[in-house]
RNA sequence: GGGCUCAUAGCUCAACGGAUAGAGCACAGGGUUGCGGACCCUGGUGUGAGGGUUCGAUUCCCUCUGAGCCCUCCA
């Protein structure tokens, strides 16, 4: 990272000297087939903008760069179309390793966010039943992303939006009431769409035993609080803690919804049709106008949502991130439209849509609807495959690819699950240090560092030095899954190294440098897993 | 019918417009007088189809095919 910044500066200086202006060139770690350290396409871009050949420009830049950075650059080669491959002096990599160790837990932190306020809202499942697997995906992505954004210098608030009013709550109440009647021995039948889960019966039983036929309690309030406490517990056990639980009902209590409607009316963006009030969202890129006040005078869910999103920005967030299941995608345009109408730049709202998780149990598709009785909860998955494995699993793939979660398979694969592979690397390193403390470890003789080992060590240091950039990349692209891939790769390098070279050996200086290397690996794995909300165990 | 998303190895998935497209699983073989064998090594197949943009495309644009989802005065 530091080396890269240094090189970047060097290249910029060279470009100035050569009177070239190339703002958007790339400087990358060289691909593995090339044995250089860094590669840049700056000459290729320059070539496409002038008459000169890229190769010639590359030669020129190389010569100048070598003069500017003699202490860092070992040599430079120009390759085929015009790539410049840069080789770094070895000493510089060793210094990098020392700096990684010095930074310790802070290694990976950057300040690209500069304290910018970000509000990230996720899960936000209706309080009408327990969380299911799909929510687990949203929870994993949201929570890790929040960690990553904090690590890169943003000021992040994690929020859960609770839809504690509306038709689905009415339906919940009805479902409970029906179960209560059933408990009193009445003949009942569940209407279409009623909640059928066993928790409905449980709540009905609790209400019956506590209050009986007394009408003094508020069934809705009780049920929502009850279910919410279960949701909270599930999330807590999943390692997810929200900074704020925002209740939809408060928008009405504080009259905020009315304010928004009035504000839109003042802008002449509301009209009446078929007895309802419509918002002219099509003026702001939505495919058609939307109802905000129904014929029965009640606001729609959308109306609450406009108010809620406006409120998020009004509270000072410069950027708002929503994590939604992909089935809500039709909703994106209208929310953006409403923000635009209220004078907020729609680009400041980032909506991450994750494709739904389809569940299988032994080849059989399992229904995911909360309204059907039978569905697999997040808790069940956690109990079957563990918190760490589930989170890693959810974070391994990009949000926009579908996720097939076969419970049988997840269970069966659990020992080979990649998370164990990464955690095992960490535990192994811890074990080395435990062994070292014993002082009586078996000293093995044939173990001086060879040229080959030196080369492989530097390859590992290069990977370690990429870590802050990986985190940064995840933050800028809002994609935590790059980190899981990075950690798997790093763990692989470690296991390979461990297998080949004995760390604790008879050779003191060899032992010293190997210990430094594995300590740095341990540090990066631990920091990285931390951002994913996954534990880095000392023992397994 | 319209819209959103996706299509990469036998399977599940990676790859800021970059060089010879990578991992894991599965399959087959092999490996430790040693700090944890939950490990390591060796095997091979490829971007759904067709155009375009350019030094260069899995990535961007268009057409087609196929899959999932959404098209409520539900949330």
């Amino acid at each position: 990272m530091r080396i890269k910044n240094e090189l970047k500066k060097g290249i910029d200086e060279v470009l100035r000297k050569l009177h070239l202006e190339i703002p958007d060139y790339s400087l990358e770690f060289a691909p593995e087939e090339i044995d250089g350290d860094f590669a840049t396409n700056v000459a290729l871009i320059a070539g496409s903008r002038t008459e000169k050949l890229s190769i010639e420009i590359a030669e020129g830049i190389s010569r100048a760069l070598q003069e500017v950075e003699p202490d860092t650059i070992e040599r430079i080669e120009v390759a085929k179309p015009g790539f410049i491959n840069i080789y770094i002096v070895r000493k510089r990599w060793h210094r990098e390793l020392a700096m990684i160790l010095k930074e310790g837990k802070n290694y990976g932190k950057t300040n690209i966010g500069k304290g910018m306020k970000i509000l990230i809202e996720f899960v936000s499942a209706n309080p009408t039943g327990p969380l299911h697997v799909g929510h687990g995906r949203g929870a994993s992505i949201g929570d890790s992303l929040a960690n990553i954004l904090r690590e890169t210098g943003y000021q992040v608030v994690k929020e859960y939006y609770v839809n504690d009013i509306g038709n689905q709550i009415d339906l919940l109440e009805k479902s409970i009431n029906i179960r209560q009647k059933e408990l009193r021995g009445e003949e009942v039948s569940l209407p279409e769409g009623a909640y059928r889960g066993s928790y409905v019966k449980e709540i009905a039983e609790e209400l019956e035993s506590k209050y009986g036929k007394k009408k003094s309690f508020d069934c809705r309030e009780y049920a929502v609080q009850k279910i919410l406490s279960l949701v909270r517990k599930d999330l807590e056990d999943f390692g997810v803690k929200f900074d704020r639980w925002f209740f939809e009902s408060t928008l009405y209590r504080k009259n905020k919804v009315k304010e928004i409607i009035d504000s839109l009316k003042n802008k002449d963006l509301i009209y009446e049709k078929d007895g309802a009030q419509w918002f002219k969202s099509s003026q702001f890129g939505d495919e058609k106008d939307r109802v905000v006040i129904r014929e029965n005078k009640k606001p729609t869910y959308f109306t609450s949502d406009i108010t809620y999103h406006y409120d998020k920005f009004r509270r000072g967030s410069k950027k708002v991130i929503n994590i939604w299941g992909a089935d809500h995608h039709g909703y994106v345009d209208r929310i953006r439209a409403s923000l635009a109408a209220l004078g907020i730049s729609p680009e400041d709202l980032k909506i991450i849509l994750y494709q739904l998780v389809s569940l299988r149990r032994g080849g059989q598709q399992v229904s995911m609807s909360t309204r059907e009785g039978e569905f697999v909860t997040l808790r069940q998955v956690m109990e079957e495959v563990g918190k760490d494995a589930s989170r890693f699993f959810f974070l391994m793939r990009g949000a926009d690819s579908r996720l097939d979660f076969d419970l049988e398979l997840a269970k069966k694969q659990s020992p080979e699950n990649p998370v164990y592979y990464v955690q095992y690397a960490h535990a192994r390193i811890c074990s080395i240090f435990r062994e070292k403390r014993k002082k009586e470890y078996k000293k093995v003789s044939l173990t001086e560092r060879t040229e080959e080992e030196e080369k492989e060590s530097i390859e590992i240091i290069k990977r370690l030095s990429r870590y802050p950039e990986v985190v940064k990349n995840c933050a800028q692209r809002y994609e935590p899954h790059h980190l899981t891939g990075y950690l798997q790769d790093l763990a692989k390098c470690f296991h390979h190294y461990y297998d080949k070279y004995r760390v604790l050996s008879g050779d003191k200086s060899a032992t010293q440098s190997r210990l430094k290397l594995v300590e740095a690996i341990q540090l990066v794995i631990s920091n990285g897993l931390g951002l994913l909300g996954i534990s880095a165990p000392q023992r397994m």
Side-chain angles (χ1 to χ4, degrees), chain A residues 49-69:
Chain A
R49 292 184 184 182
T50 60
E51 297 291 302
K52 281 175 93 176
L53 253 76
S54 296
I55 287 269
E56 287 171 17
I57 300 171
E59 303 277 358
I61 293 175
S62 302
R63 274 193 298 276
L65 190 56
Q66 189 105 48
E67 283 165 29
V68 172
E69 298 278 353

Side-chain angles (χ1 to χ4, degrees), chain A residues 6 147 263 365 413 477:
Chain A
E6 206 176 293
N147 290 339
S263 162
Q365 196 79 23
Q413 280 186 342
R477 297 169 65 184

Side-chain angles (χ1 to χ4, degrees), chain A residues 13-14 29 49 57 157 183 279 313 360 428 473 480 491 534:
Chain A
E13 195 182 324
V14 166
F29 285 87
R49 292 184 184 182
I57 300 171
V157 171
L183 287 168
F279 161 50
F313 282 101
R360 252 181 260 157
R428 254 184 160 175
N473 193 30
I534 295 168

